[in-house]
Amino acid sequence: MPRTKKEYLFIDGYNIINQWQYYKEVKNIANSRNKLIELLVEYQAYKGINVIVVFDAHLVKGSLEKKETVAGVEIVYTKEHETADSFIEKQLDRIGRYERVQVATSDSAIQQIVISRGGTRISAQEMIMELENAKKDIRTKTEKPRQKGTNIDRVLDDETLEKLEKLRRSM
């Protein structure tokens, strides 16, 4: 029996942030990065996929690749002279033909590489919309009153409801 493919979503972190209205409003890269990670944690839990967000540190002198995990979301800061694109490209070479891989970026060069290596791509704007829609879905599902079965007042007639109410008060 063939094994089920794992599903991965690679996010070019700064590419998403630079396209995001939130960043344009707050103008703070650290806050935007943290907010994006927070949304991705919710998104991963909601979708049940492996999310890896990659942030460029290629211009940071002497930086080494750093990985951390926040509530299941893998966060990668690239090493000096390595872009998020090149990191993602290496991962595509490694798993792109064996697993289901989607990459969120608006960089057209990496989009072409993604497709040629067996992955699918989603633009930064589409990813932002996807995150916002997932957040709305989560909110809708958690705010609805939890009901099992049917509303009793829709099933029973007024006389029976009155009798039940009298019985409840007498207890």
Side-chain angles (χ1 to χ4, degrees), residues 6 18 20 32 50 55 80 98 100 128 136 143 146 152 168:
K6 289 183 181 176
N18 287 322
W20 194 16
S32 298
N50 298 297
F55 294 105
E80 183 180 12
Y98 310 104
R100 293 182 62 201
I128 292 164
K136 285 178 195 168
E143 286 176 358
R146 297 193 178 143
I152 196 163
R168 185 187 66 79

mmCIF file of all heavy atoms in Angstrom, residues 6 18 20 32 50 55 80 98 100 128 136 143 146 152 168:
data_model
loop_
_atom_site.group_PDB
_atom_site.id
_atom_site.type_symbol
_atom_site.label_atom_id
_atom_site.label_comp_id
_atom_site.label_asym_id
_atom_site.label_seq_id
_atom_site.Cartn_x
_atom_site.Cartn_y
_atom_site.Cartn_z
ATOM 1 N N LYS A 6 2.952 13.526 2.720
ATOM 2 C CA LYS A 6 2.817 14.627 3.683
ATOM 3 C C LYS A 6 2.615 15.905 2.886
ATOM 4 O O LYS A 6 3.069 16.026 1.761
ATOM 5 C CB LYS A 6 4.076 14.761 4.530
ATOM 6 C CG LYS A 6 4.268 13.647 5.522
ATOM 7 C CD LYS A 6 5.500 13.906 6.359
ATOM 8 C CE LYS A 6 5.722 12.782 7.339
ATOM 9 N NZ LYS A 6 6.978 12.965 8.093
ATOM 10 N N ASN A 18 5.991 41.930 3.056
ATOM 11 C CA ASN A 18 6.081 43.134 2.224
ATOM 12 C C ASN A 18 4.834 43.378 1.379
ATOM 13 O O ASN A 18 4.612 44.490 0.916
ATOM 14 C CB ASN A 18 7.332 43.072 1.338
ATOM 15 C CG ASN A 18 8.584 43.308 2.138
ATOM 16 O OD1 ASN A 18 8.610 44.127 3.053
ATOM 17 N ND2 ASN A 18 9.633 42.571 1.809
ATOM 18 N N TRP A 20 1.746 42.734 2.616
ATOM 19 C CA TRP A 20 0.681 42.653 3.602
ATOM 20 C C TRP A 20 0.287 44.031 4.107
ATOM 21 O O TRP A 20 1.126 44.812 4.543
ATOM 22 C CB TRP A 20 1.201 41.788 4.734
ATOM 23 C CG TRP A 20 0.255 41.268 5.735
ATOM 24 C CD1 TRP A 20 -1.099 41.200 5.666
ATOM 25 C CD2 TRP A 20 0.628 40.709 6.995
ATOM 26 N NE1 TRP A 20 -1.597 40.629 6.806
ATOM 27 C CE2 TRP A 20 -0.558 40.316 7.633
ATOM 28 C CE3 TRP A 20 1.842 40.504 7.637
ATOM 29 C CZ2 TRP A 20 -0.570 39.728 8.891
ATOM 30 C CZ3 TRP A 20 1.837 39.917 8.884
ATOM 31 C CH2 TRP A 20 0.647 39.528 9.499
ATOM 32 N N SER A 32 5.381 42.507 12.659
ATOM 33 C CA SER A 32 4.775 41.857 11.495
ATOM 34 C C SER A 32 5.199 40.396 11.408
ATOM 35 O O SER A 32 4.394 39.524 11.110
ATOM 36 C CB SER A 32 5.160 42.587 10.208
ATOM 37 O OG SER A 32 4.661 43.907 10.241
ATOM 38 N N ASN A 50 2.069 20.756 7.343
ATOM 39 C CA ASN A 50 3.353 21.195 7.902
ATOM 40 C C ASN A 50 3.694 22.561 7.312
ATOM 41 O O ASN A 50 3.827 22.679 6.098
ATOM 42 C CB ASN A 50 4.448 20.199 7.537
ATOM 43 C CG ASN A 50 4.170 18.830 8.108
ATOM 44 O OD1 ASN A 50 4.111 18.663 9.317
ATOM 45 N ND2 ASN A 50 3.969 17.851 7.250
ATOM 46 N N PHE A 55 12.747 33.115 6.678
ATOM 47 C CA PHE A 55 13.099 34.533 6.666
ATOM 48 C C PHE A 55 14.547 34.674 6.204
ATOM 49 O O PHE A 55 15.430 33.976 6.696
ATOM 50 C CB PHE A 55 12.941 35.151 8.062
ATOM 51 C CG PHE A 55 11.519 35.191 8.539
ATOM 52 C CD1 PHE A 55 11.064 34.301 9.502
ATOM 53 C CD2 PHE A 55 10.622 36.116 8.021
ATOM 54 C CE1 PHE A 55 9.752 34.338 9.947
ATOM 55 C CE2 PHE A 55 9.303 36.166 8.458
ATOM 56 C CZ PHE A 55 8.866 35.272 9.416
ATOM 57 N N GLU A 80 24.073 33.560 6.369
ATOM 58 C CA GLU A 80 24.641 34.624 5.544
ATOM 59 C C GLU A 80 24.820 34.106 4.109
ATOM 60 O O GLU A 80 25.223 32.969 3.897
ATOM 61 C CB GLU A 80 25.995 35.068 6.110
ATOM 62 C CG GLU A 80 26.613 36.227 5.357
ATOM 63 C CD GLU A 80 27.970 36.653 5.928
ATOM 64 O OE1 GLU A 80 28.546 35.922 6.754
ATOM 65 O OE2 GLU A 80 28.433 37.735 5.533
ATOM 66 N N TYR A 98 8.362 13.878 -3.893
ATOM 67 C CA TYR A 98 7.887 12.791 -3.031
ATOM 68 C C TYR A 98 6.748 13.196 -2.108
ATOM 69 O O TYR A 98 5.985 12.359 -1.662
ATOM 70 C CB TYR A 98 9.054 12.260 -2.178
ATOM 71 C CG TYR A 98 10.271 11.951 -3.011
ATOM 72 C CD1 TYR A 98 11.370 12.801 -3.009
ATOM 73 C CD2 TYR A 98 10.296 10.831 -3.834
ATOM 74 C CE1 TYR A 98 12.482 12.535 -3.790
ATOM 75 C CE2 TYR A 98 11.404 10.556 -4.624
ATOM 76 C CZ TYR A 98 12.492 11.410 -4.600
ATOM 77 O OH TYR A 98 13.577 11.153 -5.383
ATOM 78 N N ARG A 100 3.736 16.430 -1.014
ATOM 79 C CA ARG A 100 2.943 17.535 -1.571
ATOM 80 C C ARG A 100 3.508 18.830 -1.016
ATOM 81 O O ARG A 100 3.497 19.049 0.191
ATOM 82 C CB ARG A 100 1.478 17.374 -1.187
ATOM 83 C CG ARG A 100 0.836 16.162 -1.855
ATOM 84 C CD ARG A 100 -0.620 16.013 -1.516
ATOM 85 N NE ARG A 100 -1.349 17.180 -2.005
ATOM 86 C CZ ARG A 100 -2.528 17.555 -1.553
ATOM 87 N NH1 ARG A 100 -3.127 16.876 -0.609
ATOM 88 N NH2 ARG A 100 -3.129 18.613 -2.043
ATOM 89 N N ILE A 128 -2.151 35.633 1.889
ATOM 90 C CA ILE A 128 -2.706 36.538 2.883
ATOM 91 C C ILE A 128 -4.227 36.360 2.961
ATOM 92 O O ILE A 128 -4.800 36.265 4.054
ATOM 93 C CB ILE A 128 -2.324 38.005 2.569
ATOM 94 C CG1 ILE A 128 -0.805 38.192 2.767
ATOM 95 C CG2 ILE A 128 -3.114 38.991 3.428
ATOM 96 C CD1 ILE A 128 -0.233 39.452 2.138
ATOM 97 N N LYS A 136 -11.208 33.696 9.830
ATOM 98 C CA LYS A 136 -12.663 33.912 9.905
ATOM 99 C C LYS A 136 -13.394 32.591 10.125
ATOM 100 O O LYS A 136 -14.317 32.524 10.936
ATOM 101 C CB LYS A 136 -13.175 34.560 8.612
ATOM 102 C CG LYS A 136 -12.849 36.019 8.490
ATOM 103 C CD LYS A 136 -13.353 36.567 7.165
ATOM 104 C CE LYS A 136 -12.731 37.916 6.867
ATOM 105 N NZ LYS A 136 -12.959 38.353 5.500
ATOM 106 N N GLU A 143 -17.315 30.538 17.717
ATOM 107 C CA GLU A 143 -18.295 31.449 18.314
ATOM 108 C C GLU A 143 -19.715 30.907 18.265
ATOM 109 O O GLU A 143 -20.562 31.342 19.016
ATOM 110 C CB GLU A 143 -18.247 32.812 17.607
ATOM 111 C CG GLU A 143 -17.017 33.609 17.979
ATOM 112 C CD GLU A 143 -16.910 34.923 17.222
ATOM 113 O OE1 GLU A 143 -17.781 35.197 16.364
ATOM 114 O OE2 GLU A 143 -15.959 35.658 17.475
ATOM 115 N N ARG A 146 -22.631 25.701 20.721
ATOM 116 C CA ARG A 146 -22.520 24.273 20.421
ATOM 117 C C ARG A 146 -23.832 23.600 20.756
ATOM 118 O O ARG A 146 -24.316 23.655 21.877
ATOM 119 C CB ARG A 146 -21.375 23.675 21.214
ATOM 120 C CG ARG A 146 -20.092 24.322 20.778
ATOM 121 C CD ARG A 146 -18.893 23.602 21.273
ATOM 122 N NE ARG A 146 -17.731 24.304 20.746
ATOM 123 C CZ ARG A 146 -16.622 24.485 21.391
ATOM 124 N NH1 ARG A 146 -16.491 24.004 22.590
ATOM 125 N NH2 ARG A 146 -15.629 25.129 20.845
ATOM 126 N N ILE A 152 -35.104 22.169 20.978
ATOM 127 C CA ILE A 152 -36.318 21.529 21.493
ATOM 128 C C ILE A 152 -37.573 22.356 21.200
ATOM 129 O O ILE A 152 -38.633 21.805 20.935
ATOM 130 C CB ILE A 152 -36.168 21.227 23.009
ATOM 131 C CG1 ILE A 152 -37.234 20.220 23.438
ATOM 132 C CG2 ILE A 152 -36.199 22.491 23.829
ATOM 133 C CD1 ILE A 152 -36.933 19.560 24.748
ATOM 134 N N ARG A 168 -39.885 22.082 35.431
ATOM 135 C CA ARG A 168 -38.546 22.584 35.750
ATOM 136 C C ARG A 168 -38.592 23.526 36.956
ATOM 137 O O ARG A 168 -37.766 23.460 37.847
ATOM 138 C CB ARG A 168 -37.975 23.321 34.536
ATOM 139 C CG ARG A 168 -36.506 23.776 34.729
ATOM 140 C CD ARG A 168 -35.999 24.631 33.627
ATOM 141 N NE ARG A 168 -36.674 25.924 33.537
ATOM 142 C CZ ARG A 168 -36.408 26.975 34.323
ATOM 143 N NH1 ARG A 168 -35.505 26.886 35.269
ATOM 144 N NH2 ARG A 168 -37.056 28.105 34.182
#
